[in-house]
């Protein structure tokens, strides 16, 4: 399946506005420069857009978020502590140009890998959090992504606190071959152990969540949520079109399509996310009792 | 000869030449026995050279041979009283996966595997061995049944991948695969997986979370097909041969990477040359594997599977890391 195909569907034409990552964000935010919504074409102050969790003030379009923006918008201020931030990829297959590509993405995204993990609080509730960032190697899962997520799950298990993940990924990382495929199994066995020990796992799928990530931890939440309009897929749209030679519905492989087909608990707008997740965390607090 | 591949042509030609000479000596009154002996020695050496150094791309071709033995072929040789069970109890019976109960040398087991067709008609019925979600859900149903009755599970992996289709997405292909990975982790019985042909990506892995994972010598196991990798990496599917080497998809490569436990040797030239003898090779490995795993308690089996996958992956922890730049 062509990874790049996964990014065409549901992606605004003027792509540079859809991903206001570090370099854009830095120049745009402080000066109050305007941003145009790729969905409704209306123009708004970038500052206000960011304040609204990067949700269009006019039509509700969800702009992509990078990991640090996600931390700022989701966790209680100053509560985040990163873990395993020094873990970095190797080149196990001696794949041509892989190390160079990693270095380029490090500079571009200011990230060390495609997932950031750590601990923090959501309205006071302690959680272990993993946030995938599609600006690093399209959020693809190699050994480091699998290992960091597995360690995060193990940490949540050890501390008996909930584990929450924001997924954003083009799938497995080809340059690590079968090792990347096996990260699907590694994260899943860790989630099974966590689940058997009574751990709460909430998966929040963001644009895009595809391939091996969709077919492993992203789909294994006690609660599976998605952001509005997110592309969530196993196979790429073009691959499917080639194999079936029939028209695919307009909303094919969107969060709305998945909800309709029974694959999600709910679609949650980013502007209501903290409140709704905090409520779920509250419901899962141990010791809740009937008040007479 | 069916299943004759480009790389073995020198062998085939020499073999034909020897046969011709032999035929000639039968009718003509000449003694060419010493020549024949020489040629036969050369053939043996040639076979050794070629079959012991099969290139990744040639293994891909062997793994894809239409007459390569399938799950049902091996089942007929390895197990007694195989009883096939159909359906996921929810939607349909996906014939791209077969499964059921049987005895292996007296031991009750559950056997599950991807199933390709042998001809076009059967391939259409079995969707070329590419499962839909209901196939994975049938497999999981049978695994849970095995868990209940304390039967070891043997999985044969042989698929290009999970089917990329509209209906598959609607019914949750991702969830079905993910669920199998998750639930296989918790099975309280021994799980043994054998890649017998192509092991294509998540669709293969969904039957692959075992205590022991073996590959037939000429099978492949990969995150993406060589053609797919070449198309993405070099925008040219014809470079698949290069991708087959770069991606490390053969049994020896994957043993070195720690993805599989061991390689099951194949009959010279490939499993299709002699299914019965190939089945005997598999039987030896299965027996040994079961003997080891049957000594473990339920908890030990689960922990063994956890550790088996927990250890896969390569990374570095940077010292004195203070952030990018
Ligand atoms: Zn808008």
């Amino acid at each position: 399946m062509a990874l790049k195909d996964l990014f065409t569907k549901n992606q605004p034409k003027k792509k540079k506005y859809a991903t206001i990552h570090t370099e854009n964000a830095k120049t745009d935010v402080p000066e109050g420069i305007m941003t145009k919504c790729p969905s409704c074409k209306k123009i708004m102050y970038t500052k206000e857009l960011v304040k609204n969790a990067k949700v269009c003030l006019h039509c509700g379009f969800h702009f992509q978020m990078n990991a640090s923006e996600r931390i700022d918008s989701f966790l209680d201020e100053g509560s985040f502590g990163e873990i395993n931030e020094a873990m970095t990829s190797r080149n196990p297959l001696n794949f041509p140009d892989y190390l160079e590509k990693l270095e380029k993405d490090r500079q571009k995204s200011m990230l060390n890998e495609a997932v950031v993990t750590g601990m923090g609080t959501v309205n006071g509730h302690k959680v272990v959090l993993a946030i995938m960032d599609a600006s690093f190697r399209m959020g693809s899962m190699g050994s480091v992504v699998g290992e960091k997520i597995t360690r995060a799950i193990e940490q949540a298990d050890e501390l008996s606190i909930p584990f929450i993940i924001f997924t954003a990924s083009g799938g497995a990382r080809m340059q690590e071959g079968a090792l990347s495929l096996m990260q699907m199994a590694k994260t899943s066995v860790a989630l099974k152990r966590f689940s058997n020990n009574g751990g709460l796992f909430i998966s929040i799928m963001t644009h895009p969540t595809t391939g091996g990530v969709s077919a492993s931890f992203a789909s294994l939440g006690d609660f599976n949520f998605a952001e509005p309009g997110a592309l969530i897929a196993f196979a790429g749209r073009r691959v499917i079109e080639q194999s079936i030679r029939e028209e695919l519905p307009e909303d094919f492989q969107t969060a709305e399509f998945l909800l309709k087909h029974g694959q999600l608990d709910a679609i949650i707008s980013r502007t209501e996310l903290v409140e709704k997740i905090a409520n779920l965390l509250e419901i899962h607090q141990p010791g809740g009792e009937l008040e007479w | 000869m069916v299943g004759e591949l480009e790389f073995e042509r020198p062998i085939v030609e020499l073999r034909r030449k020897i046969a011709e000479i032999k035929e000639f000596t039968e009718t003509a009154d000449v003694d060419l026995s010493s020549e024949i002996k020489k040629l036969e020695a050369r053939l043996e050496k040639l076979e050794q050279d070629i079959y012991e150094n099969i290139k990744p791309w040639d293994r891909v071709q062997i793994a894809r041979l239409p007459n390569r033995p399938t799950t049902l072929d091996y089942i007929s040789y390895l197990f007694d009283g195989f009883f096939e069970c159909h359906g996921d109890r929810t939607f349909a019976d996906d014939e791209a996966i077969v499964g059921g109960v049987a005895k292996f040398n007296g031991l009750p087991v559950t056997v599950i595997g991807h199933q390709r067709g042998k001809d076009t008609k059967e391939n259409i019925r079995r969707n070329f061995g590419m499962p839909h979600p209901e196939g994975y859900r049938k497999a999981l149903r049978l695994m849970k049944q095995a868990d209940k009755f304390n039967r070891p599970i043997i999985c044969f992996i042989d698929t290009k991948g999970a089917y990329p289709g509209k209906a598959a997405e609607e019914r949750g292909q991702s969830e079905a695969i993910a669920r199998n990975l998750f639930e296989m982790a918790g099975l309280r019985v021994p799980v043994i997986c054998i890649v017998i042909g192509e092991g294509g990506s998540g669709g293969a892995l969904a039957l692959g979370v075992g205590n022991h994972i073996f590959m037939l010598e000429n099978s492949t196991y990969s995150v993406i097909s060589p053609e797919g990798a070449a198309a993405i990496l070099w925008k040219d599917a014809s470079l698949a041969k290069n991708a087959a080497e770069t991606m490390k998809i053969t049994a020896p490569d994957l043993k070195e990477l720690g993805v599989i436990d061991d390689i099951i040797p194949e009959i010279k030239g490939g499993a299709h040359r002699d299914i019965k003898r190939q089945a005997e090779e598999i039987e030896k490995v299965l027996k040994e594997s079961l003997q080891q795993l049957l000594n473990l308690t339920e908890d030990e089996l689960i922990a063994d599977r956890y550790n088996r996958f927990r250890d896969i992956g390569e990374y570095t922890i940077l010292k004195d890391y203070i952030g990018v730049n």
Side-chain angles (χ1 to χ4, degrees), chain B residues 47-80:
Chain B
E47 282 189 333
Q48 208 169 356
D49 287 351
I50 290 180
Y51 287 137
E52 282 174 17
N53 296 291
I54 305 180
K55 299 279 177 291
W57 183 243
D58 296 324
R59 292 196 200 274
V60 171
Q61 303 314 310
I62 296 175
R64 288 175 180 174
L65 281 173
N67 60 333
R68 186 162 174 87
T70 65
T71 295
L72 284 175
D73 288 327
Y74 289 125
I75 285 177
S76 70
Y77 284 101
L78 287 166
F79 305 99
D80 299 313

Side-chain angles (χ1 to χ4, degrees), chain A residues 7 43 54-55 68 78 91 97 104 125 132 158 225 233 237 286:
Chain A
F7 289 84
I43 293 170
K54 294 183 82 176
V55 175
S68 69
N91 189 4
D97 305 328
K104 222 170 107 189
H125 297 284
M132 302 187 82
E158 204 171 299
F225 300 127
R237 188 185 177 99

